[in-house]
Amino acid sequence: MKIVVVGGSGLIGSKTVARLQKAGHDVVAASPNSGVNTLSGEGLAEALREAEVVVDVANSPSFADEDVMAFFTTSGRNLIAAETEAGVQHHVALSVVGTARLQESGYFRGKQAQEDLIRAAGLPYTIVQATQFFEFLGGIASSAATDGTIHLPPAAIQPMSSDDVAAAVAEAAVASPVNGVIEIAGPERFRLDELVRRYLEAKNDARAVVTDPAARYFGARLDDASLVPAAAARLGIIHFGDWLAASAGRA
């Protein structure tokens, strides 16, 4: 089938494209670099012509509250309109586990708006909510840094490899729409502060991680239910220690 992957040149998108191509599908990796811009609408109609499935894994280039909201709402409306016109049969979107619980954060308000647009569009859909990627732990550390010290709460987190995320997204793309949410997560659960501390040690990063129950996560307060999935989540197969070893080998 013809599958368009929006954000197809990014971390998750490129791996999803590769998996779907290996399975024999006609895959279009859509991004501004390929002439497809969901914010302006440029190239959308042509890219979606005869497409059966659209996979949206694009992310906002800016994490500023207003920018995130503008990106997900504008991009979402343009994409849904183009899909409706093209007769797309399945819309798959990558979102985040805990989005509805993290509405103090501007980023997660933007993701919630994106999910709401999809649910209201009338298109068959699947929303894949993933826990945080191992690859983004450095970004979490930087976001929580103050004067060289990183303040993070000891909240539960169940992160996963981008390879496992791409595998789940590709699987959803070729399956029937669920018209609901699929949660995916890593095989292990950690404390956020301990996980980032372990990550920094492995990267020879000397910054100290201070355990601070009041510290925010991208503007949101956390508890042990905020970032983890329900019991029915589909679990990845790549463990954090194995991912660390592999990333050290690549470096």
Side-chain angles (χ1 to χ4, degrees), residues 3-201:
I3 302 172
V4 177
V5 180
V6 178
S9 62
L11 174 65
I12 304 301
S14 59
K15 294 182 178 186
T16 302
V17 166
R19 285 179 176 273
L20 291 170
Q21 287 177 332
K22 186 176 181 180
H25 299 287
D26 176 14
V27 185
V28 175
S31 70
N33 290 336
S34 68
V36 182
N37 190 319
T38 55
L39 286 177
S40 67
E42 177 189 1
L44 268 180
E46 182 178 354
L48 268 58
R49 188 174 295 120
E50 298 183 351
E52 297 175 61
V53 179
V54 169
V55 177
D56 184 7
V57 294
N59 203 3
S60 174
S62 166
F63 274 32
D65 289 0
E66 297 81 4
D67 295 341
V68 170
M69 183 62 74
F71 177 84
F72 285 120
T73 55
T74 303
S75 176
R77 291 189 185 102
N78 287 339
L79 194 51
I80 287 166
E83 289 178 43
T84 301
E85 181 68 24
V88 170
Q89 300 170 22
H90 188 187
H91 179 98
V92 178
L94 179 61
S95 191
V96 188
V97 165
T99 288
R101 299 187 290 271
L102 298 166
Q103 292 299 291
E104 289 179 304
S105 164
Y107 181 82
F108 291 101
R109 289 195 296 272
K111 292 301 290 184
Q112 186 65 56
Q114 179 191 29
E115 290 191 14
D116 292 343
L117 283 170
I118 294 167
R119 291 185 176 95
L123 292 169
Y125 73 92
T126 301
I127 296 172
V128 180
Q129 288 189 342
T131 55
Q132 195 51 261
F133 316 150
F134 296 150
E135 289 85 351
F136 197 54
L137 290 174
I140 293 174
S142 296
S143 74
T146 303
D147 296 327
T149 301
I150 297 164
H151 290 251
L152 287 169
I157 188 170
Q158 197 166 332
M160 63 191 303
S161 162
S162 62
D163 288 328
D164 281 339
V165 176
V169 171
E171 181 181 335
V174 299
S176 298
V178 302
N179 295 316
V181 172
I182 296 170
E183 287 191 326
I184 60 174
E188 304 165 283
R189 189 168 291 193
F190 303 90
R191 295 290 175 183
L192 179 58
D193 57 331
E194 295 173 358
L195 180 68
V196 172
R197 189 177 291 117
R198 183 175 167 186
Y199 170 83
L200 294 178
E201 289 172 356

